[in-house]
Short mmCIF file of all heavy atoms in Angstrom, two decimals:
data_model
loop_
_atom_site.label_atom_id
_atom_site.label_comp_id
_atom_site.label_asym_id
_atom_site.label_seq_id
_atom_site.Cartn_x
_atom_site.Cartn_y
_atom_site.Cartn_z
N MET A 1 2.92 17.76 5.62
CA MET A 1 1.99 17.01 4.76
C MET A 1 1.84 15.57 5.28
O MET A 1 2.82 14.96 5.67
CB MET A 1 2.52 16.98 3.33
CG MET A 1 1.59 16.27 2.37
SD MET A 1 2.23 16.26 0.69
CE MET A 1 3.78 15.38 0.89
N LYS A 2 0.62 15.10 5.27
CA LYS A 2 0.39 13.72 5.70
C LYS A 2 0.80 12.73 4.61
O LYS A 2 0.66 13.01 3.43
CB LYS A 2 -1.09 13.53 6.05
CG LYS A 2 -1.48 14.27 7.31
CD LYS A 2 -2.84 13.85 7.79
CE LYS A 2 -3.10 14.42 9.17
NZ LYS A 2 -4.35 13.91 9.74
N LYS A 3 1.30 11.60 5.05
CA LYS A 3 1.75 10.55 4.13
C LYS A 3 0.97 9.27 4.41
O LYS A 3 0.52 9.05 5.54
CB LYS A 3 3.24 10.27 4.34
CG LYS A 3 4.10 11.51 4.35
CD LYS A 3 4.66 11.79 3.00
CE LYS A 3 5.49 13.06 3.02
NZ LYS A 3 6.39 13.16 1.91
N ALA A 4 0.88 8.44 3.40
CA ALA A 4 0.15 7.18 3.57
C ALA A 4 0.96 6.20 4.42
O ALA A 4 2.18 6.14 4.32
CB ALA A 4 -0.14 6.59 2.20
N PHE A 5 0.24 5.47 5.25
CA PHE A 5 0.86 4.41 6.05
C PHE A 5 -0.01 3.16 5.94
O PHE A 5 -1.23 3.23 6.13
CB PHE A 5 0.98 4.84 7.51
CG PHE A 5 1.39 3.71 8.42
CD1 PHE A 5 2.70 3.25 8.43
CD2 PHE A 5 0.45 3.07 9.24
CE1 PHE A 5 3.08 2.18 9.25
CE2 PHE A 5 0.83 2.00 10.06
CZ PHE A 5 2.14 1.57 10.05
N ILE A 6 0.59 2.03 5.64
CA ILE A 6 -0.16 0.79 5.52
C ILE A 6 -0.02 -0.01 6.81
O ILE A 6 1.09 -0.38 7.19
CB ILE A 6 0.32 -0.03 4.30
CG1 ILE A 6 0.17 0.82 3.03
CG2 ILE A 6 -0.48 -1.34 4.18
CD1 ILE A 6 0.75 0.19 1.77
N ASP A 7 -1.13 -0.25 7.47
CA ASP A 7 -1.12 -0.98 8.74
C ASP A 7 -0.91 -2.47 8.47
O ASP A 7 -1.76 -3.14 7.87
CB ASP A 7 -2.46 -0.77 9.46
CG ASP A 7 -2.45 -1.33 10.87
OD1 ASP A 7 -1.70 -2.30 11.13
OD2 ASP A 7 -3.21 -0.82 11.71
N PRO A 8 0.23 -3.02 8.90
CA PRO A 8 0.53 -4.43 8.61
C PRO A 8 -0.41 -5.41 9.32
O PRO A 8 -0.49 -6.57 8.94
CB PRO A 8 1.97 -4.59 9.10
CG PRO A 8 2.19 -3.49 10.07
CD PRO A 8 1.28 -2.36 9.68
N ASN A 9 -1.12 -4.93 10.35
CA ASN A 9 -2.06 -5.80 11.06
C ASN A 9 -3.40 -5.92 10.33
O ASN A 9 -4.19 -6.81 10.63
CB ASN A 9 -2.30 -5.28 12.48
CG ASN A 9 -1.03 -5.30 13.30
OD1 ASN A 9 -0.30 -6.28 13.29
ND2 ASN A 9 -0.75 -4.20 13.98
N ILE A 10 -3.66 -5.02 9.40
CA ILE A 10 -4.93 -5.05 8.66
C ILE A 10 -4.72 -5.55 7.24
O ILE A 10 -5.54 -6.29 6.69
CB ILE A 10 -5.57 -3.64 8.65
CG1 ILE A 10 -5.83 -3.16 10.08
CG2 ILE A 10 -6.89 -3.66 7.87
CD1 ILE A 10 -6.32 -1.73 10.19
N CYS A 11 -3.61 -5.18 6.63
CA CYS A 11 -3.31 -5.57 5.24
C CYS A 11 -3.30 -7.09 5.08
O CYS A 11 -2.76 -7.80 5.92
CB CYS A 11 -1.94 -5.01 4.89
SG CYS A 11 -1.33 -5.53 3.28
N ASP A 12 -3.92 -7.59 3.99
CA ASP A 12 -3.94 -9.05 3.75
C ASP A 12 -2.77 -9.51 2.87
O ASP A 12 -2.70 -10.67 2.46
CB ASP A 12 -5.29 -9.49 3.19
CG ASP A 12 -5.47 -9.10 1.72
OD1 ASP A 12 -4.68 -8.27 1.21
OD2 ASP A 12 -6.41 -9.62 1.09
N ARG A 13 -1.87 -8.59 2.52
CA ARG A 13 -0.66 -8.89 1.74
C ARG A 13 -0.96 -9.57 0.41
O ARG A 13 -0.23 -10.45 -0.03
CB ARG A 13 0.32 -9.76 2.56
CG ARG A 13 0.86 -9.03 3.77
CD ARG A 13 1.77 -9.89 4.60
NE ARG A 13 1.06 -10.92 5.33
CZ ARG A 13 0.36 -10.70 6.42
NH1 ARG A 13 0.30 -9.50 6.93
NH2 ARG A 13 -0.29 -11.67 7.02
N SER A 14 -2.05 -9.15 -0.22
CA SER A 14 -2.35 -9.70 -1.54
C SER A 14 -1.28 -9.27 -2.53
O SER A 14 -0.89 -8.11 -2.56
CB SER A 14 -3.71 -9.20 -2.02
OG SER A 14 -3.84 -9.45 -3.42
N PRO A 15 -0.80 -10.22 -3.36
CA PRO A 15 0.17 -9.83 -4.39
C PRO A 15 -0.47 -8.95 -5.46
O PRO A 15 0.23 -8.39 -6.29
CB PRO A 15 0.66 -11.17 -4.95
CG PRO A 15 -0.38 -12.16 -4.57
CD PRO A 15 -1.07 -11.66 -3.34
N PHE A 16 -1.81 -8.83 -5.44
CA PHE A 16 -2.51 -8.00 -6.43
C PHE A 16 -2.93 -6.66 -5.84
O PHE A 16 -3.87 -6.04 -6.31
CB PHE A 16 -3.72 -8.76 -6.98
CG PHE A 16 -3.38 -10.12 -7.47
CD1 PHE A 16 -3.78 -11.25 -6.76
CD2 PHE A 16 -2.61 -10.29 -8.61
CE1 PHE A 16 -3.43 -12.52 -7.20
CE2 PHE A 16 -2.26 -11.55 -9.05
CZ PHE A 16 -2.68 -12.68 -8.35
N CYS A 17 -2.25 -6.24 -4.80
CA CYS A 17 -2.55 -4.97 -4.10
C CYS A 17 -2.94 -3.85 -5.06
O CYS A 17 -2.12 -3.41 -5.86
CB CYS A 17 -1.33 -4.56 -3.28
SG CYS A 17 -1.47 -2.92 -2.54
N PRO A 18 -4.20 -3.38 -5.00
CA PRO A 18 -4.61 -2.31 -5.92
C PRO A 18 -3.99 -0.97 -5.56
O PRO A 18 -3.79 -0.12 -6.43
CB PRO A 18 -6.14 -2.27 -5.77
CG PRO A 18 -6.41 -2.86 -4.42
CD PRO A 18 -5.31 -3.84 -4.14
N ALA A 19 -3.68 -0.77 -4.30
CA ALA A 19 -3.07 0.49 -3.87
C ALA A 19 -1.71 0.68 -4.54
O ALA A 19 -1.35 1.76 -4.97
CB ALA A 19 -2.92 0.50 -2.34
N LYS A 20 -0.98 -0.42 -4.63
CA LYS A 20 0.34 -0.41 -5.25
C LYS A 20 0.22 0.03 -6.73
O LYS A 20 1.01 0.80 -7.22
CB LYS A 20 0.89 -1.84 -5.17
CG LYS A 20 2.30 -2.04 -5.57
CD LYS A 20 2.73 -3.49 -5.33
CE LYS A 20 1.95 -4.50 -6.16
NZ LYS A 20 2.33 -5.89 -5.87
N ARG A 21 -0.82 -0.44 -7.39
CA ARG A 21 -0.99 -0.13 -8.81
C ARG A 21 -1.47 1.30 -9.04
O ARG A 21 -1.14 1.92 -10.03
CB ARG A 21 -1.96 -1.12 -9.46
CG ARG A 21 -1.28 -2.40 -9.89
CD ARG A 21 -2.25 -3.36 -10.54
NE ARG A 21 -3.01 -4.11 -9.55
CZ ARG A 21 -4.31 -4.30 -9.60
NH1 ARG A 21 -5.03 -3.77 -10.55
NH2 ARG A 21 -4.90 -5.00 -8.68
N VAL A 22 -2.30 1.81 -8.12
CA VAL A 22 -2.92 3.12 -8.34
C VAL A 22 -2.00 4.29 -7.98
O VAL A 22 -2.21 5.41 -8.45
CB VAL A 22 -4.26 3.19 -7.57
CG1 VAL A 22 -4.05 3.54 -6.10
CG2 VAL A 22 -5.20 4.19 -8.20
N CYS A 23 -1.00 4.08 -7.18
CA CYS A 23 -0.13 5.18 -6.74
C CYS A 23 0.53 5.86 -7.95
O CYS A 23 1.24 5.21 -8.72
CB CYS A 23 0.95 4.67 -5.79
SG CYS A 23 2.06 6.01 -5.26
N PRO A 24 0.29 7.16 -8.13
CA PRO A 24 0.80 7.85 -9.32
C PRO A 24 2.31 8.08 -9.31
O PRO A 24 2.89 8.39 -10.36
CB PRO A 24 0.07 9.20 -9.30
CG PRO A 24 -0.29 9.42 -7.87
CD PRO A 24 -0.52 8.05 -7.27
N VAL A 25 2.93 7.93 -8.15
CA VAL A 25 4.37 8.18 -8.09
C VAL A 25 5.19 6.93 -7.75
O VAL A 25 6.39 7.00 -7.51
CB VAL A 25 4.70 9.32 -7.08
CG1 VAL A 25 4.15 10.65 -7.56
CG2 VAL A 25 4.19 8.99 -5.69
N GLY A 26 4.52 5.79 -7.73
CA GLY A 26 5.24 4.54 -7.45
C GLY A 26 5.85 4.48 -6.06
O GLY A 26 6.95 3.94 -5.88
N ALA A 27 5.14 5.07 -5.09
CA ALA A 27 5.69 5.12 -3.73
C ALA A 27 5.49 3.83 -2.95
O ALA A 27 6.08 3.64 -1.90
CB ALA A 27 5.06 6.28 -2.96
N ILE A 28 4.63 2.94 -3.48
CA ILE A 28 4.31 1.71 -2.74
C ILE A 28 5.05 0.54 -3.36
O ILE A 28 4.90 0.24 -4.55
CB ILE A 28 2.78 1.45 -2.72
CG1 ILE A 28 2.06 2.66 -2.13
CG2 ILE A 28 2.47 0.18 -1.92
CD1 ILE A 28 0.54 2.53 -2.12
N SER A 29 5.87 -0.11 -2.55
CA SER A 29 6.61 -1.27 -3.04
C SER A 29 6.22 -2.47 -2.20
O SER A 29 5.72 -2.34 -1.08
CB SER A 29 8.12 -1.02 -2.93
OG SER A 29 8.47 -0.79 -1.58
N GLN A 30 6.42 -3.64 -2.77
CA GLN A 30 6.02 -4.87 -2.08
C GLN A 30 7.03 -5.97 -2.40
O GLN A 30 7.34 -6.22 -3.56
CB GLN A 30 4.62 -5.27 -2.55
CG GLN A 30 4.01 -6.42 -1.77
CD GLN A 30 2.60 -6.72 -2.23
OE1 GLN A 30 2.25 -6.46 -3.37
NE2 GLN A 30 1.79 -7.26 -1.36
N GLU A 31 7.48 -6.59 -1.36
CA GLU A 31 8.44 -7.69 -1.51
C GLU A 31 7.71 -8.93 -2.03
O GLU A 31 6.62 -9.24 -1.57
CB GLU A 31 9.03 -7.98 -0.13
CG GLU A 31 10.17 -8.95 -0.10
CD GLU A 31 10.57 -9.31 1.33
OE1 GLU A 31 10.09 -8.65 2.26
OE2 GLU A 31 11.34 -10.26 1.48
N VAL A 32 8.29 -9.60 -3.01
CA VAL A 32 7.70 -10.82 -3.55
C VAL A 32 8.30 -12.02 -2.81
O VAL A 32 9.51 -12.10 -2.63
CB VAL A 32 7.97 -10.94 -5.06
CG1 VAL A 32 7.44 -12.26 -5.62
CG2 VAL A 32 7.36 -9.76 -5.80
N LYS A 33 7.41 -12.91 -2.34
CA LYS A 33 7.88 -14.10 -1.62
C LYS A 33 7.30 -15.35 -2.29
O LYS A 33 6.17 -15.71 -2.03
CB LYS A 33 7.41 -14.05 -0.16
CG LYS A 33 8.08 -12.93 0.65
CD LYS A 33 7.55 -12.91 2.06
CE LYS A 33 8.26 -11.86 2.91
NZ LYS A 33 7.65 -11.70 4.22
N GLY A 34 8.07 -15.95 -3.16
CA GLY A 34 7.59 -17.14 -3.83
C GLY A 34 6.59 -16.81 -4.92
O GLY A 34 6.49 -15.68 -5.37
N PHE A 35 5.79 -17.80 -5.34
CA PHE A 35 4.93 -17.64 -6.51
C PHE A 35 3.72 -16.75 -6.22
O PHE A 35 3.48 -15.76 -6.90
CB PHE A 35 4.48 -19.01 -7.02
CG PHE A 35 3.80 -18.93 -8.36
CD1 PHE A 35 4.47 -18.39 -9.46
CD2 PHE A 35 2.50 -19.38 -8.52
CE1 PHE A 35 3.86 -18.30 -10.70
CE2 PHE A 35 1.88 -19.30 -9.76
CZ PHE A 35 2.57 -18.77 -10.85
N PHE A 36 2.92 -17.07 -5.21
CA PHE A 36 1.75 -16.25 -4.89
C PHE A 36 1.88 -15.56 -3.55
O PHE A 36 0.91 -15.07 -3.00
CB PHE A 36 0.46 -17.08 -4.95
CG PHE A 36 -0.18 -17.06 -6.30
CD1 PHE A 36 -0.41 -18.24 -6.99
CD2 PHE A 36 -0.55 -15.85 -6.88
CE1 PHE A 36 -1.00 -18.21 -8.25
CE2 PHE A 36 -1.13 -15.82 -8.14
CZ PHE A 36 -1.36 -17.00 -8.83
N GLY A 37 3.09 -15.53 -3.01
CA GLY A 37 3.29 -14.87 -1.72
C GLY A 37 3.80 -13.46 -1.90
O GLY A 37 4.40 -13.14 -2.91
N ALA A 38 3.52 -12.63 -0.92
CA ALA A 38 4.01 -11.25 -0.98
C ALA A 38 4.10 -10.71 0.43
O ALA A 38 3.39 -11.15 1.33
CB ALA A 38 3.08 -10.40 -1.82
N GLY A 39 4.98 -9.74 0.61
CA GLY A 39 5.09 -9.08 1.90
C GLY A 39 4.05 -7.97 2.02
O GLY A 39 3.28 -7.73 1.10
N THR A 40 4.03 -7.31 3.15
CA THR A 40 3.15 -6.15 3.32
C THR A 40 3.69 -5.01 2.46
O THR A 40 4.87 -4.70 2.55
CB THR A 40 3.13 -5.69 4.80
OG1 THR A 40 2.75 -6.79 5.61
CG2 THR A 40 2.13 -4.55 5.00
N PRO A 41 2.83 -4.41 1.63
CA PRO A 41 3.30 -3.27 0.83
C PRO A 41 3.77 -2.14 1.75
O PRO A 41 3.20 -1.94 2.83
CB PRO A 41 2.05 -2.84 0.05
CG PRO A 41 1.15 -4.02 0.08
CD PRO A 41 1.43 -4.73 1.36
N LYS A 42 4.79 -1.45 1.32
CA LYS A 42 5.33 -0.36 2.14
C LYS A 42 5.32 0.94 1.34
O LYS A 42 5.60 0.94 0.15
CB LYS A 42 6.78 -0.67 2.52
CG LYS A 42 6.90 -1.71 3.61
CD LYS A 42 8.34 -1.75 4.16
CE LYS A 42 8.46 -2.77 5.28
NZ LYS A 42 8.30 -4.14 4.77
N VAL A 43 5.00 2.01 2.04
CA VAL A 43 5.01 3.33 1.41
C VAL A 43 6.36 3.99 1.67
O VAL A 43 6.82 4.02 2.81
CB VAL A 43 3.89 4.21 1.99
CG1 VAL A 43 3.94 5.61 1.39
CG2 VAL A 43 2.52 3.58 1.76
N ASP A 44 6.97 4.49 0.62
CA ASP A 44 8.20 5.27 0.78
C ASP A 44 7.80 6.72 1.03
O ASP A 44 7.30 7.39 0.13
CB ASP A 44 9.04 5.15 -0.50
CG ASP A 44 10.36 5.92 -0.40
OD1 ASP A 44 10.48 6.79 0.49
OD2 ASP A 44 11.25 5.65 -1.22
N PRO A 45 7.97 7.20 2.27
CA PRO A 45 7.51 8.56 2.59
C PRO A 45 8.24 9.65 1.81
O PRO A 45 7.71 10.74 1.64
CB PRO A 45 7.79 8.71 4.10
CG PRO A 45 8.38 7.43 4.55
CD PRO A 45 8.64 6.55 3.38
N SER A 46 9.42 9.34 1.30
CA SER A 46 10.14 10.35 0.53
C SER A 46 9.56 10.51 -0.87
O SER A 46 9.77 11.51 -1.55
CB SER A 46 11.63 10.01 0.45
OG SER A 46 11.84 8.86 -0.33
N LYS A 47 8.76 9.49 -1.32
CA LYS A 47 8.13 9.57 -2.64
C LYS A 47 6.66 9.99 -2.55
O LYS A 47 6.13 10.61 -3.46
CB LYS A 47 8.20 8.21 -3.34
CG LYS A 47 9.56 7.82 -3.84
CD LYS A 47 9.46 6.54 -4.66
CE LYS A 47 10.82 6.01 -5.06
NZ LYS A 47 10.72 4.64 -5.59
N CYS A 48 5.98 9.59 -1.47
CA CYS A 48 4.54 9.83 -1.32
C CYS A 48 4.22 11.33 -1.38
O CYS A 48 4.86 12.13 -0.71
CB CYS A 48 4.06 9.25 0.01
SG CYS A 48 2.32 9.56 0.36
N ILE A 49 3.20 11.69 -2.20
CA ILE A 49 2.78 13.09 -2.32
C ILE A 49 1.47 13.34 -1.58
O ILE A 49 0.87 14.40 -1.71
CB ILE A 49 2.65 13.51 -3.81
CG1 ILE A 49 1.70 12.57 -4.56
CG2 ILE A 49 4.03 13.54 -4.47
CD1 ILE A 49 1.32 13.05 -5.96
N GLY A 50 1.01 12.33 -0.82
CA GLY A 50 -0.17 12.50 0.03
C GLY A 50 -1.48 12.68 -0.72
O GLY A 50 -2.40 13.31 -0.22
N CYS A 51 -1.57 12.10 -1.92
CA CYS A 51 -2.77 12.31 -2.75
C CYS A 51 -3.99 11.56 -2.24
O CYS A 51 -5.12 11.90 -2.56
CB CYS A 51 -2.48 11.91 -4.20
SG CYS A 51 -2.28 10.13 -4.41
N GLY A 52 -3.79 10.50 -1.48
CA GLY A 52 -4.90 9.75 -0.90
C GLY A 52 -5.55 8.73 -1.82
O GLY A 52 -6.53 8.10 -1.44
N LYS A 53 -5.03 8.55 -3.03
CA LYS A 53 -5.64 7.59 -3.97
C LYS A 53 -5.60 6.17 -3.44
O LYS A 53 -6.52 5.39 -3.63
CB LYS A 53 -4.96 7.68 -5.32
CG LYS A 53 -5.35 8.90 -6.09
CD LYS A 53 -4.83 8.88 -7.51
CE LYS A 53 -5.31 10.13 -8.23
NZ LYS A 53 -4.41 10.57 -9.28
N CYS A 54 -4.50 5.82 -2.78
CA CYS A 54 -4.35 4.45 -2.30
C CYS A 54 -5.39 4.13 -1.21
O CYS A 54 -5.88 3.01 -1.13
CB CYS A 54 -2.93 4.22 -1.79
SG CYS A 54 -2.39 5.37 -0.53
N LEU A 55 -5.76 5.12 -0.41
CA LEU A 55 -6.77 4.91 0.64
C LEU A 55 -8.10 4.48 0.03
O LEU A 55 -8.81 3.65 0.59
CB LEU A 55 -7.03 6.20 1.42
CG LEU A 55 -6.11 6.56 2.57
CD1 LEU A 55 -4.80 7.10 2.06
CD2 LEU A 55 -6.77 7.58 3.45
N GLN A 56 -8.43 5.09 -1.10
CA GLN A 56 -9.73 4.85 -1.72
C GLN A 56 -9.85 3.45 -2.32
O GLN A 56 -10.95 2.93 -2.46
CB GLN A 56 -9.99 5.89 -2.81
CG GLN A 56 -10.19 7.29 -2.24
CD GLN A 56 -10.05 8.36 -3.32
OE1 GLN A 56 -10.27 8.10 -4.49
NE2 GLN A 56 -9.67 9.55 -2.91
N VAL A 57 -8.73 2.85 -2.71
CA VAL A 57 -8.82 1.55 -3.38
C VAL A 57 -8.48 0.36 -2.48
O VAL A 57 -8.75 -0.78 -2.86
CB VAL A 57 -7.94 1.49 -4.65
CG1 VAL A 57 -8.39 2.54 -5.66
CG2 VAL A 57 -6.48 1.68 -4.31
N CYS A 58 -7.93 0.60 -1.30
CA CYS A 58 -7.61 -0.54 -0.44
C CYS A 58 -8.90 -1.20 0.04
O CYS A 58 -9.70 -0.57 0.72
CB CYS A 58 -6.78 -0.09 0.77
SG CYS A 58 -6.48 -1.46 1.91
N PRO A 59 -9.12 -2.48 -0.30
CA PRO A 59 -10.37 -3.15 0.07
C PRO A 59 -10.49 -3.43 1.57
O PRO A 59 -11.57 -3.71 2.06
CB PRO A 59 -10.33 -4.46 -0.73
CG PRO A 59 -8.90 -4.69 -1.03
CD PRO A 59 -8.24 -3.34 -1.10
N HIS A 60 -9.40 -3.33 2.29
CA HIS A 60 -9.42 -3.62 3.73
C HIS A 60 -9.26 -2.37 4.58
O HIS A 60 -9.16 -2.47 5.80
CB HIS A 60 -8.32 -4.63 4.07
CG HIS A 60 -8.43 -5.88 3.28
ND1 HIS A 60 -9.40 -6.83 3.52
CD2 HIS A 60 -7.74 -6.31 2.20
CE1 HIS A 60 -9.27 -7.80 2.63
NE2 HIS A 60 -8.28 -7.51 1.83
N ARG A 61 -9.20 -1.22 3.94
CA ARG A 61 -9.00 0.06 4.64
C ARG A 61 -7.77 -0.02 5.55
O ARG A 61 -7.80 0.42 6.71
CB ARG A 61 -10.23 0.44 5.46
CG ARG A 61 -11.45 0.61 4.57
CD ARG A 61 -12.67 0.97 5.39
NE ARG A 61 -13.83 1.06 4.51
CZ ARG A 61 -14.65 2.10 4.47
NH1 ARG A 61 -14.45 3.13 5.24
NH2 ARG A 61 -15.68 2.11 3.66
N ALA A 62 -6.73 -0.60 5.03
CA ALA A 62 -5.50 -0.77 5.82
C ALA A 62 -4.60 0.46 5.74
O ALA A 62 -3.58 0.50 6.40
CB ALA A 62 -4.74 -2.00 5.32
N ILE A 63 -5.00 1.44 4.91
CA ILE A 63 -4.12 2.60 4.71
C ILE A 63 -4.70 3.84 5.38
O ILE A 63 -5.88 4.13 5.27
CB ILE A 63 -3.89 2.87 3.21
CG1 ILE A 63 -3.49 1.57 2.49
CG2 ILE A 63 -2.82 3.94 3.02
CD1 ILE A 63 -3.33 1.70 0.99
N LYS A 64 -3.82 4.49 6.10
CA LYS A 64 -4.19 5.73 6.81
C LYS A 64 -3.22 6.82 6.41
O LYS A 64 -2.11 6.55 6.00
CB LYS A 64 -4.07 5.53 8.33
CG LYS A 64 -4.98 4.50 8.90
CD LYS A 64 -4.63 4.24 10.36
CE LYS A 64 -5.55 3.20 10.97
NZ LYS A 64 -5.45 1.89 10.31
N MET A 65 -3.66 8.08 6.58
CA MET A 65 -2.74 9.20 6.40
C MET A 65 -2.23 9.59 7.77
O MET A 65 -3.01 9.82 8.69
CB MET A 65 -3.46 10.38 5.74
CG MET A 65 -4.06 10.08 4.38
SD MET A 65 -2.87 9.48 3.15
CE MET A 65 -2.08 11.02 2.71
N VAL A 66 -0.93 9.63 7.90
CA VAL A 66 -0.35 9.99 9.21
C VAL A 66 0.63 11.15 9.07
O VAL A 66 1.19 11.37 8.01
CB VAL A 66 0.34 8.78 9.89
CG1 VAL A 66 -0.67 7.72 10.27
CG2 VAL A 66 1.42 8.20 9.00
S1 SF4 B 1 -1.13 8.83 -0.86
FE1 SF4 B 1 -0.89 8.92 -3.13
S2 SF4 B 1 1.34 9.19 -3.46
FE2 SF4 B 1 1.06 8.49 -1.33
S3 SF4 B 1 1.32 6.25 -1.41
FE3 SF4 B 1 -0.91 6.72 -1.60
S4 SF4 B 1 -1.33 6.80 -3.82
FE4 SF4 B 1 0.92 6.97 -3.52
#
């Protein structure tokens, strides 16, 4: 099964990442850095069910199924 992968070179690291919010299984986590800073969201492949919802909401198309 393909799993979501977030390309760190494309992701803008918004702390309001919509992909993180839409994931039905909470597979996307993001490190918080200071008040409005955030790391690149990461997909936990052991949690991801490959539903593809995060791909549809990423405004930068930074997410691929691999
Ligand atoms: S493909 Fe689905 S389960 Fe996997 S990270 Fe994206 S929204 Fe979550």
